[in-house]
């Protein structure tokens, strides 16, 4: 009975609890506020990641600029050849001088006040021909008289002293002095034959004395340019060009009177080999059977010839120096036995201008050994190396030939070319 009562009591309590929840469904007892302790946040470690690119980098550091390669251009230094702008007519007692206003040939007229004949100004001007005219008595205008055994020479100096252009301090031309001369023979014919004039007309002879130069140059195989290297080998043909550079002269023709080859610049040293002699006879081909020869003359103030390379027997250096005696005379003078360029070709003598009759006396020469010690022949091989010597260049002297019939002025000088190393060809 006691246990049943206890069960009934528990059931009643449960029913009461359910009824209370159904009556106040939203009622809740207030809860106590709870104190929240502050929390300390620890810093997070930064996360790293590798950056990637869609395309690979191609940039690099720029390189230093490099000079552009210069192409090889055939180049030959051209020496200026002034135009003939001064003329003198030697009259009986007066010197008549004419000067082009374009005195330097550069299309630049000079101021007439800047040019005087000695201390004398211009006396007239041809405006249509652009020519200045000067006239002077032979003893005036600071002339200088010189007497020789054959002539009386009156020398005048054309002085050009350019003044600045306008108000500027510049000039387009430089100072210059041109010497003109009048030659009068001291002797004349006094027989019953017609008398020769006491003066030589300007049309007969140009007596102005200016600078004149002879040169020797090594040329390329086509004769177009100066050869940049002096190195040759046995069997090669050495192309040599002789030139007379003329300034304000009548046209001149150059000749090679003689040439010798030596081991030193001294032309009289030993051994020496004379391969041109007897006033222009190239005897090397006649003596040794080589192919040496003068080339056909194309320009009067140039003469070209070929020399087959050789060496002195027993010479270790294999180096040659070539010294030639050059001569120039008026191109109007005929080719003769004293003015010629003869080669021995096909068992005969041929002249460079085609006047073969001038070579008749070449065969009369003695064709014995032309070397003072031993004949020219191949020797031991030459030492290597490059040579940078320039072309031969020489000032000239002047001589006057017999003037009984006509005056023939000639200029001559010696020019040395070298050193020229001659090596042996290698046979495989």
């Amino acid at each position: 009975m006691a246990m049943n009562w206890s069960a009934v009591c528990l059931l009643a309590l449960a029913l009461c609890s359910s009824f209370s929840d159904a009556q106040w469904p939203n009622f809740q007892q207030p809860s106590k506020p709870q104190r929240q302790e502050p929390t300390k946040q620890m810093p997070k470690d930064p996360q790293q990641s590798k950056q990637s690119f869609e395309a690979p980098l191609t940039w690099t550091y720029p390189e230093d600029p490099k000079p552009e390669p210069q192409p090889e251009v055939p180049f030959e230094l051209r020496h200026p050849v002034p135009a003939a702008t001064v003329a003198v007519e030697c009259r009986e007692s007066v010197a008549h001088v004419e000067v082009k206003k374009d005195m330097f040939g550069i299309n630049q007229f000079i101021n007439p006040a800047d040019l005087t004949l000695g201390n004398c100004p211009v006396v007239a001007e041809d405006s249509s021909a652009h020519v200045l005219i000067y006239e002077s008595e032979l003893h005036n205008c600071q002339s200088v008289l010189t007497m020789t055994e054959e002539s009386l020479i009156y020398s005048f100096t054309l002085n050009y002293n350019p003044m600045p252009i306008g108000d500027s301090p510049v000039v387009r031309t430089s100072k210059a002095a041109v010497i003109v001369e009048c030659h009068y023979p001291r002797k004349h014919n006094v027989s019953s034959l017609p008398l020769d004039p006491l003066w030589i007309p300007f049309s007969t002879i140009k007596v102005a004395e200016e600078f004149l130069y002879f040169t020797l140059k090594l040329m390329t195989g086509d004769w177009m340019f100066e050869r940049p290297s002096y190195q040759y080998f046995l069997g090669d043909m050495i192309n040599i060009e002789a030139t007379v550079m003329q300034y304000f002269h009548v046209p001149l023709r150059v000749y090679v009177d003689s040439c010798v080859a030596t081991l030193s610049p001294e032309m009289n040293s030993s051994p020496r080999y004379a391969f041109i002699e007897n006033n222009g006879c190239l005897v090397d081909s006649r003596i040794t059977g080589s192919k040496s020869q003068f080339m056909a003359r194309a320009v009067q103030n140039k003469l070209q010839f070929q020399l087959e390379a050789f060496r002195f027997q027993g010479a270790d250096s294999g180096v040659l120096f070539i010294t030639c005696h050059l001569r120039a005379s008026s191109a109007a003078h005929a080719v003769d036995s004293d003015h010629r360029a003869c080669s021995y070709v096909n068992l005969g003598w041929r002249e460079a201008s085609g006047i073969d009759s001038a070579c008749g006396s070449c065969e009369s020469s003695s064709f014995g050994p032309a070397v003072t010690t031993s004949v020219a022949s191949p020797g031991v091989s030459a030492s290597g190396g490059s040579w940078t010597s320039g072309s031969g260049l020489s000032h000239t002297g002047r001589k006057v030939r017999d003037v009984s019939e006509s005056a023939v002025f000639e200029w001559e000088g010696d020019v040395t070319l070298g050193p020229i190393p001659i090596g042996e060809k290698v046979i495989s």
Side-chain angles (χ1 to χ4, degrees), residues 68 94 238 279 345 380 400 411:
E68 296 181 0
V94 174
I238 304 176
N279 292 335
V345 182
V380 298
V400 181
W411 291 261

Side-chain angles (χ1 to χ4, degrees), residues 13-41:
L13 289 175
L15 290 174
C16 290
S17 176
S18 299
F19 181 77
S20 299
D21 293 335
Q23 290 295 327
W24 300 281
N26 296 326
F27 178 80
Q28 290 183 356
Q29 291 184 357
S31 59
K32 254 182 178 182
Q34 295 181 358
R35 182 180 179 183
Q36 295 182 353
E37 294 291 336
T39 59
K40 186 177 181 181
Q41 296 182 353

Side-chain angles (χ1 to χ4, degrees), residues 304-325:
Q304 300 168 338
F305 63 94
Q306 291 181 319
L307 175 65
E308 189 170 346
F310 64 88
R311 301 178 65 186
F312 285 101
Q313 185 178 18
D316 295 334
S317 65
V319 172
L320 297 180
F321 288 85
I322 295 177
T323 302
C324 296
H325 183 77

Side-chain angles (χ1 to χ4, degrees), residues 137-191:
E137 297 288 338
L138 296 179
H139 295 282
N140 292 340
C141 298
Q142 298 179 339
S143 66
V144 177
L145 173 61
T146 304
M147 289 188 294
T148 65
E149 184 178 352
E150 301 292 337
S151 303
L152 295 173
I153 305 173
Y154 293 89
S155 301
F156 297 85
T157 302
L158 276 169
N159 296 309
Y160 177 63
N161 186 17
M163 301 302 293
I165 301 175
D167 296 331
S168 66
V170 301
V171 293
R172 298 294 184 188
T173 52
S174 58
K175 292 183 179 181
V178 179
I179 300 176
V180 294
E181 298 177 349
C182 283
H183 290 223
Y184 296 89
R186 296 181 62 184
K187 302 177 182 179
H188 58 82
N189 190 353
V190 294
S191 67

Side-chain angles (χ1 to χ4, degrees), residues 72-382:
E72 293 185 3
V73 179
F75 172 76
E76 181 182 10
L77 182 62
R78 300 288 185 179
H79 294 276
V81 180
T85 57
V86 178
V88 57
E89 181 182 355
C90 300
R91 299 173 181 174
E92 184 173 358
S93 60
V94 174
H96 178 89
V97 181
E98 296 184 358
V99 183
K100 293 183 179 180
K101 293 188 70 175
D102 185 12
M103 181 177 174
F104 295 93
I106 58 175
N107 296 324
Q108 181 76 30
F109 285 176
I110 63 173
N111 184 357
D114 296 340
L115 182 66
T116 59
L117 182 65
N119 58 350
C120 299
V122 62
V123 297
E125 179 179 348
D126 187 343
S127 57
S128 60
H130 303 293
V131 172
L132 304 177
I133 300 174
Y134 298 81
E135 280 191 353
S136 170
E137 297 288 338
L138 296 179
H139 295 282
N140 292 340
C141 298
Q142 298 179 339
S143 66
V144 177
L145 173 61
T146 304
M147 289 188 294
T148 65
E149 184 178 352
E150 301 292 337
S151 303
L152 295 173
I153 305 173
Y154 293 89
S155 301
F156 297 85
T157 302
L158 276 169
N159 296 309
Y160 177 63
N161 186 17
M163 301 302 293
I165 301 175
D167 296 331
S168 66
V170 301
V171 293
R172 298 294 184 188
T173 52
S174 58
K175 292 183 179 181
V178 179
I179 300 176
V180 294
E181 298 177 349
C182 283
H183 290 223
Y184 296 89
R186 296 181 62 184
K187 302 177 182 179
H188 58 82
N189 190 353
V190 294
S191 67
S192 59
L193 298 177
L195 295 178
D196 291 335
L198 295 178
W199 55 274
I200 303 175
F202 176 74
S203 59
T204 303
I205 178 173
K206 180 67 180 282
V207 296
E209 181 79 54
E210 295 95 13
F211 292 107
L212 199 70
Y213 295 96
F214 290 121
T215 61
L216 282 180
K217 293 188 296 184
L218 296 180
M219 305 298 292
T220 55
D222 56 3
W223 297 97
M224 296 295 294
F225 307 103
E226 185 172 358
R227 197 173 190 267
S229 173
Y230 272 35
Q231 177 69 58
Y232 290 91
F233 296 91
L234 292 176
D236 291 345
M237 300 303 296
I238 304 176
N239 292 344
I240 303 176
E241 182 178 86
T243 306
V244 56
M245 293 186 291
Q246 56 195 57
Y247 300 89
F248 298 100
H249 278 276
V250 295
L252 299 179
R253 184 185 296 125
V254 66
Y255 299 94
V256 182
D257 274 0
S258 61
C259 284
V260 296
T262 55
L263 294 176
S264 69
E266 177 55 47
M267 63 180 298
N268 294 320
S269 61
S270 180
R272 62 191 299 270
Y273 173 47
F275 57 89
I276 298 179
E277 58 183 14
N278 193 17
N279 292 335
C281 298
L282 206 164
V283 298
D284 179 64
S285 55
R286 180 68 172 84
I287 297 174
T288 66
S290 69
K291 298 179 181 179
S292 302
Q293 62 177 339
F294 282 106
M295 310 302 291
R297 189 189 291 272
V299 183
Q300 298 298 336
N301 69 323
K302 293 182 180 180
L303 183 60
Q304 300 168 338
F305 63 94
Q306 291 181 319
L307 175 65
E308 189 170 346
F310 64 88
R311 301 178 65 186
F312 285 101
Q313 185 178 18
D316 295 334
S317 65
V319 172
L320 297 180
F321 288 85
I322 295 177
T323 302
C324 296
H325 183 77
L326 306 184
R327 183 162 43 137
S329 63
S330 171
H333 186 78
V335 175
D336 55 24
S337 58
D338 293 330
H339 306 80
R340 59 190 177 183
C342 299
S343 308
Y344 189 75
V345 182
N346 297 328
L347 303 180
W349 291 95
R350 301 290 182 266
E351 210 280 327
S353 300
I355 315 299
D356 298 340
S357 58
C359 302
S361 60
C362 286
E363 189 63 28
S364 63
S365 301
S366 175
F367 297 109
V371 184
T372 57
T373 57
S374 60
V375 296
S377 62
V380 298
S381 50

